Amino acid sequence: MNLTLKVWRQSGPKDSGRMVTYQAKDVSPDMSFLEMLDVVNEQLILAGDDPIAFDHDCREGICGMCGMVINGVAHGEQRATTTCQLHMRHFEDGATVTIEPWRAAPFPVVKDLVVDRSAFDRIIQAGGFVSVPAGSAPDAHSLPVRKEDADDAFDAATCIGCGACVAACPNGSASLFTAAKITHLSLLPQGQPERIARAKSMVDQMDAEGFGGCTNTGECTAVCPKGIPLDTIARMNSDYLKANAK
Amino acid sequence: MKYTEGTEIRDTKAPAGPIEERWEKRKFSAKLVNPANKRKLQVIVVGTGLAGGSAAATLGELGYNVKSFCYQDSPRRAHSIAAQGGINAAKNYRGDGDSIYRLFYDTVKGGDFRARESNVYRLAQVSVNIIDQAVAQGVPFAREYGGLLDTRSFGGAQVSRTFYARGQTGQQLLLGAYQALERQVAAGTVEMFTRHEMLELIVSDGRARGIIVRDMVTGEIERHMADAVVLATGGYGNVFYLSTNAKGCNTTAIWRAHEKGAYFANPCYTQIHPTCIPVSGEYQSKLTLMSESLRNDGRVWVPVAAGDTRAPGDIPDDERDYYLERIYPAFGNLVPRDIASRAAKNVCDEGRGVGPGGLGVYLDFRDAINRLGRDAVEKKYGNLFEMYERITGEDPYTQPMRIYPAVHYTMGGLWVDYDLQSTIPGLFVIGEANFSDHGANRLGASALMQGLADGYFVLPTTIGDYLANGPYGEVDEEAVAEAEIKVRTKIDKLLSINGTRTPDSFHRELGKIMWDYCGMERTEESLRKALELIPSLREEFWRNVKVSGSAEELNQVLEKAGRVADFFDLAELMCLDALVRTESCGGHFRAESQDADGEALRDDENFAHVSAWEHTPDGPVLHKEPLEYEYVKMSQRSYK
């Protein structure tokens, strides 16, 4: 199949950027979206042009490094799918495909489709952990956990930190990401002692990074490759309110 | 390729005495650094996977000044995150007869008697603490209704000792380590450098004292000094181009250290994982693993007749060959990875492979669905089935999956002693980047165990002993300048060639040479062929590669070219190592060395040793470290 690509090119954070059109020829339907870009890039290199910079690594949907807005949707239109797991068989021959980076003020563009998501790491630094030094842990069976709680905690813990939630949110909110971590830890007994302080400091950090507030539009869960549910945000808000009531 | 033989390695620094007391003894004999002095000491940790992330976090907790480096945009993206199946621990929570000794025994045997007894015993001991640590961090392992931890069994073991978090165990363990790491970043004990790549090791006065890195965003070349350097940079399976590794996994850090004097041990030991999705075309950039746990219920088969092109559903049962169950009735589909991989290769070589190109075998859930119902199968393996469907466009509920072996894990790596210290004092190597614990084959669910054992528990003790024996004086400025010049010269050279081929095209060709001639089966002839082809391809690379852009920007082509350049040199050493080892063991199958049934034939008389290669200007020098088995008697592995 043959495609027309309209790709966002931006040489660095100070460049204003622009859309550039490329032809992707002889695309196999079995290729992943990133493999299609690899092929385009090989041609650009040989032509002496600057290849399209994009982030990627594991290419099996788990590291969270890849991310681009495809035809206006973060990670593309297929639900619960990272860009690396999106395959070209879902596109039509002859189609035009637009490709843009995550757009949010706290995620400045580094180059082309590469953005800086270090704000997420700083939100985790603010309290997204259980304070337990190596070597001091009690036997793992000393504290049973209800299976339902462990399963729910796991569901929230599967967040890959890709940032699609932020890219999709009309407010540029990082609530789904932050709430996923707060929910994961708040559902487990190990997370209880720091629970309320954690919610406060993580939410405050999220605000300090410049992410917008949540207005429950739900665009975040719609694009989340791991299907993190919206009710995690309610849990986060509940713990945050408790923190401020004290 | 010429090589010479050097002196034997006799002392690995493991304490003598009963094996169960060795680690305790070593911990007690290790000198301590007092807390006030820890604050004055700088440690560099390169890599943020299970080994590097847990090590940097723990060293930070202990009070050292740590600098942590990764090439990704966040330490949370290290490839440990992709491990699916689980992590072994000798907890015996099931009461099914497991013990530290049994885990030790299974691992030594599973490694085909090419791992070190002392190290493996320590690994089994520490495994128990890893689960405690991870649970305390909030890692949401699978639980039973009573609230206790669930376990499952894995290839190569007959007890249920594998702890798991659905099919994403590596992810959850890595996030635990990452969160511990970020906690230390917040506490100010760890300074994090993301999007930085180590390009050279600084050796001053014979000791590792720092690294040269490239800031991958600005292109700036930076010097970072330390009292000790830890490499936790993972494996080098991407030398084969197609592998289950993340795209960025590379050998550069350990290869640079090797050129600076660190011995490289057992480079030829490559684990080929039996259950990956087969290659679909020339453009393919990586291979995806399907968890080994699928073999608990899936049955592996191919048509009895060669060249049978019927759809799988049209092939009646008596025309199917369930070859693993036929050849290995005791373990069946759960034989270890090296055995399952070679068996798949053999049936495909007979012309009985399925799918495009005939390089595939069926992994069939028909019987499991009939027995357990579709819902039960979906509950157990749903996410894996979905992943398969995504990549292939085929529905594994209605037709069998197609799988084929792929390069997965490298058991070789930099040589380390019992303290995890390389042959360069002050350079420690942990996780997949070192060679020590798996032998010639790695059983399932043991890599996560090793990474975390090294990072949380072993290294933090042993590195303290090294640091307590310091300080090691000022760093020689000339050594730093020389390392930096070397990095700059190489970058300039790569950018100046302006040839006609991309780095990827060279990488693909090199990978094909490695897979065809140094892959699942090696022969003297194939290895000699590879040793002819690699140098000429490398010569063309340095004459004809095209690297676009400049050094002072984010330049992914330049990054790639530098890594491919190092893969060439490593590939050559891998083939040499494979050529010299004229026996079959684990992931190294020499066709000349097999028994009448086609099983791997080990040669303990001549090869019960680690091959540790020293880099010299006159070519590689082979140092042998004899392996002694006091506790587990060497025997032929049999899974029949």
Side-chain angles (χ1 to χ4, degrees):
Chain A
M1 54 204 277
N2 297 304
L3 300 166
T4 301
L5 308 181
K6 292 189 165 176
V7 186
W8 184 259
R9 301 303 307 261
Q10 185 174 343
S11 62
K14 284 176 190 146
D15 181 15
S16 54
R18 68 214 180 280
M19 297 297 279
V20 178
T21 303
Y22 300 96
Q23 298 304 321
K25 293 197 185 90
D26 302 324
V27 173
S28 157
D30 288 330
M31 285 178 179
S32 73
F33 198 84
L34 301 186
E35 285 167 348
M36 182 273 294
L37 285 179
D38 289 341
V39 171
V40 171
N41 272 346
E42 289 281 286
Q43 290 159 6
L44 290 177
I45 296 167
L46 291 177
D49 291 334
D50 198 20
I52 303 156
F54 62 93
D55 266 335
H56 64 95
D57 205 17
C58 81
R59 297 203 173 188
E60 45 190 278
I62 191 78
C63 78
M65 186 122 166
C66 65
M68 48 192 81
V69 175
I70 300 163
N71 288 337
V73 182
H75 288 301
E77 279 161 274
Q78 194 179 15
R79 288 192 81 132
T81 306
T82 54
T83 306
C84 65
Q85 296 292 285
L86 175 64
H87 284 73
M88 299 313 294
R89 65 179 73 95
H90 301 291
F91 292 84
E92 271 172 36
D93 191 17
T96 298
V97 182
T98 62
I99 310 172
E100 297 162 272
W102 288 170
R103 294 191 190 277
F107 287 170
V109 172
V110 176
K111 183 177 179 182
D112 300 338
L113 306 172
V114 176
V115 301
D116 178 355
R117 287 168 287 193
S118 55
F120 273 11
D121 289 330
R122 290 188 292 276
I123 292 173
I124 296 296
Q125 285 158 28
F129 46 75
V130 174
S131 297
V132 49
S136 59
D139 184 86
H141 266 184
S142 62
L143 202 55
V145 179
R146 282 178 68 228
K147 177 170 167 44
E148 294 81 355
D149 289 344
D151 287 350
D152 288 350
F154 178 87
D155 285 339
T158 56
C159 167
I160 56 174
C162 63
C165 48
V166 175
C169 178
N171 308 329
S173 170
S175 284
L176 196 67
F177 167 79
T178 310
K181 186 48 56 188
I182 285 174
T183 301
H184 160 211
L185 296 174
S186 75
L187 280 168
L188 296 171
Q190 291 82 4
Q192 294 310 309
E194 296 166 292
R195 176 174 171 177
I196 301 300
R198 173 185 308 120
K200 174 150 175 53
S201 54
M202 287 180 76
V203 171
D204 288 348
Q205 184 64 37
M206 178 174 88
D207 292 343
E209 294 289 345
F211 291 104
C214 171
T215 50
N216 272 315
T217 54
E219 293 290 331
C220 53
T221 55
V223 298
C224 175
K226 297 297 150 182
I228 306 289
L230 203 58
D231 63 12
T232 54
I233 298 181
R235 283 179 181 280
M236 171 177 80
N237 289 340
S238 157
D239 280 358
Y240 187 68
L241 281 174
K242 279 180 204 152
N244 287 323
K246 277 190 180 164
Chain B
M1 191 181 186
K2 278 200 201 113
Y3 75 99
T4 51
E5 216 165 301
T7 48
E8 264 193 2
I9 302 171
R10 279 285 165 190
D11 185 12
T12 65
K13 308 272 166 39
I19 199 161
E20 57 275 12
E21 290 168 19
R22 289 178 193 169
W23 178 227
E24 276 308 313
K25 257 167 114 171
R26 180 68 192 105
K27 279 197 281 186
F28 187 73
S29 70
K31 278 196 189 173
L32 299 174
V33 182
N34 94 45
N37 288 339
K38 279 185 187 155
R39 288 194 290 274
K40 296 177 204 151
L41 291 167
Q42 184 78 57
V43 182
I44 282 172
V45 182
V46 187
T48 59
L50 286 175
S54 60
T58 307
L59 293 170
E61 284 162 10
L62 289 170
Y64 296 106
N65 284 300
V66 181
K67 284 185 178 179
S68 166
F69 294 83
C70 69
Y71 69 76
Q72 299 92 340
D73 72 325
S74 165
R76 69 179 294 146
R77 319 235 189 257
H79 196 52
S80 304
I81 204 152
Q84 296 171 350
I87 177 166
N88 286 337
K91 282 286 202 184
N92 194 29
Y93 281 161
R94 294 263 168 201
D96 57 1
D98 202 9
S99 63
I100 288 171
Y101 202 89
R102 189 175 296 278
L103 175 53
F104 156 68
Y105 174 89
D106 285 352
T107 308
V108 170
K109 177 189 166 206
D112 224 349
F113 300 93
R114 293 294 175 264
R116 281 191 193 137
E117 275 195 336
S118 296
N119 287 58
V120 175
Y121 195 89
R122 174 175 66 189
L123 178 66
Q125 278 176 311
V126 169
S127 70
V128 174
N129 306 108
I130 297 171
I131 301 302
D132 297 341
Q133 173 69 19
V135 166
Q137 286 174 341
V139 170
F141 282 119
R143 300 227 168 215
E144 297 182 319
Y145 283 100
L148 302 182
L149 295 159
D150 196 7
T151 53
R152 61 185 172 198
S153 48
F154 240 69
Q158 287 170 315
V159 292
S160 182
R161 63 159 75 99
T162 307
F163 295 77
Y164 66 101
R166 259 174 246 171
Q168 284 133 279
T169 316
Q171 178 196 27
Q172 292 308 314
L173 291 169
L174 182 72
L175 291 180
Y178 155 76
Q179 287 163 204
L181 177 64
E182 294 297 349
R183 175 173 166 244
Q184 294 308 309
V185 172
T189 62
V190 175
E191 195 180 349
M192 189 69 228
F193 295 84
T194 58
R195 295 196 195 271
H196 277 69
E197 180 161 35
M198 168 178 162
L199 294 179
E200 198 52 71
L201 179 74
I202 296 168
V203 178
S204 161
D205 202 17
R207 293 178 189 279
R209 294 302 301 274
I211 58 175
I212 305 284
V213 297
R214 179 170 178 271
D215 179 328
M216 293 156 75
V217 175
T218 63
E220 198 177 328
I221 304 298
E222 302 170 5
R223 312 163 158 200
H224 294 272
M225 303 304 146
D227 297 284
V229 176
V230 182
L231 299 186
T233 51
Y236 49 84
N238 272 351
V239 68
F240 291 89
Y241 189 73
L242 286 181
S243 81
T244 65
N245 288 5
K247 286 290 285 173
C249 293
N250 65 83
T251 191
T252 290
I254 57 172
W255 193 259
R256 308 274 100 226
H258 174 57
E259 287 194 336
K260 282 280 170 78
Y263 292 2
F264 206 120
N266 299 334
C268 78
Y269 291 165
T270 306
Q271 181 179 74
I272 315 281
H273 199 292
T275 53
C276 296
I277 301 177
V279 175
S280 62
E282 274 295 306
Y283 54 81
Q284 190 142 355
S285 61
K286 73 136 354 181
L287 295 169
T288 301
L289 178 75
M290 301 301 295
S291 170
E292 188 170 31
S293 65
L294 290 168
R295 289 195 282 146
N296 276 311
D297 286 304
R299 297 180 68 193
V300 178
W301 64 276
V302 290
V304 169
D308 188 340
T309 53
R310 285 175 291 175
D314 297 339
I315 302 178
D317 268 24
D318 59 354
E319 293 176 44
R320 298 175 175 199
D321 179 12
Y322 293 91
Y323 58 91
L324 289 176
E325 298 167 40
R326 173 172 59 81
I327 309 173
Y328 307 100
F331 280 72
N333 294 300
L334 280 176
V335 291
R337 293 173 180 181
D338 57 326
I339 309 272
S341 294
R342 253 182 21 78
K345 178 183 191 299
N346 290 341
V347 296
C348 292
D349 287 351
E350 291 161 18
R352 300 197 286 146
V354 299
L359 293 178
V361 301
Y362 289 128
L363 176 63
D364 196 345
F365 284 82
R366 182 196 66 180
D367 294 350
I369 291 171
N370 287 341
R371 191 176 72 245
L372 307 165
R374 183 182 157 130
D375 281 0
V377 170
E378 193 170 342
K379 225 173 215 151
K380 257 174 140 167
Y381 306 114
N383 63 329
L384 298 167
F385 277 40
E386 199 184 305
M387 187 165 89
Y388 180 85
E389 194 276 326
R390 250 206 202 143
I391 293 170
T392 60
E394 294 171 6
D395 175 12
Y397 292 102
T398 56
Q399 64 185 103
M401 292 183 180
R402 289 174 298 107
I403 55 166
Y404 196 68
V407 170
H408 183 50
Y409 189 94
T410 45
M411 280 80 67
L414 292 185
W415 186 92
V416 290
D417 62 18
Y418 187 70
D419 285 350
L420 305 180
Q421 186 166 215
S422 71
T423 46
I424 301 175
L427 180 71
F428 292 78
V429 190
I430 61 179
E432 191 179 349
N434 77 22
F435 88 102
S436 64
D437 293 9
H438 302 303
N441 178 47
R442 180 180 74 80
L443 291 182
S446 63
L448 305 189
M449 178 170 68
Q450 191 223 338
L452 290 176
D454 287 0
Y456 281 132
F457 300 109
V458 180
L459 174 91
T461 301
T462 58
I463 202 172
D465 183 68
Y466 174 81
L467 293 167
N469 283 307
Y472 296 108
E474 292 293 304
V475 182
D476 175 12
E477 265 304 308
E478 249 176 68
V480 184
E482 183 215 331
E484 188 177 326
I485 288 167
K486 208 172 148 200
V487 167
R488 288 185 187 280
T489 310
K490 189 171 175 183
I491 290 174
D492 291 346
K493 168 82 182 156
L494 287 169
L495 284 163
S496 70
I497 297 167
N498 200 22
T500 61
R501 286 184 66 179
T502 63
D504 257 329
S505 87
F506 282 103
H507 192 181
R508 228 175 269 128
E509 188 173 340
L510 173 67
K512 183 138 178 34
I513 293 172
M514 291 302 284
W515 180 247
D516 288 347
Y517 303 123
C518 188
M520 259 193 285
E521 183 172 305
R522 299 108 189 242
T523 62
E524 170 158 357
E525 195 193 344
S526 76
L527 292 163
R528 289 198 186 281
K529 174 107 180 152
L531 285 168
E532 254 175 59
L533 294 172
I534 295 166
S536 70
L537 187 63
R538 173 175 47 208
E539 187 276 324
E540 192 199 336
F541 173 87
W542 284 107
R543 182 166 47 76
N544 194 27
V545 74
K546 183 172 181 83
V547 180
S548 49
S550 79
E552 289 81 32
E553 60 174 336
L554 190 150
N555 187 337
Q556 294 171 328
V557 190
L558 176 63
E559 291 161 19
K560 184 76 204 252
R563 294 169 193 165
V564 174
D566 286 327
F567 276 136
F568 276 115
D569 297 344
L570 167 72
E572 203 174 12
L573 188 67
M574 286 171 77
C575 293
L576 175 65
D577 187 47
L579 181 65
V580 172
R581 190 170 282 274
T582 53
E583 65 158 353
S584 294
C585 58
H588 170 64
F589 188 84
R590 280 289 298 263
E592 301 92 340
S593 185
Q594 52 182 306
D595 67 14
D597 290 339
E599 299 294 333
L601 196 62
R602 248 181 24 233
D603 177 358
D604 293 332
E605 190 126 336
N606 295 302
F607 290 99
H609 62 248
V610 174
S611 299
W613 296 92
E614 181 186 2
H615 181 92
T616 76
D618 306 321
V621 179
L622 172 61
H623 300 270
K624 294 177 182 168
E625 176 203 323
L627 289 164
E628 278 143 30
Y629 292 90
E630 286 176 66
Y631 291 85
V632 188
K633 212 170 142 315
M634 283 203 260
S635 58
Q636 193 63 26
R637 282 163 79 214
S638 171
Y639 295 90
K640 286 192 173 173

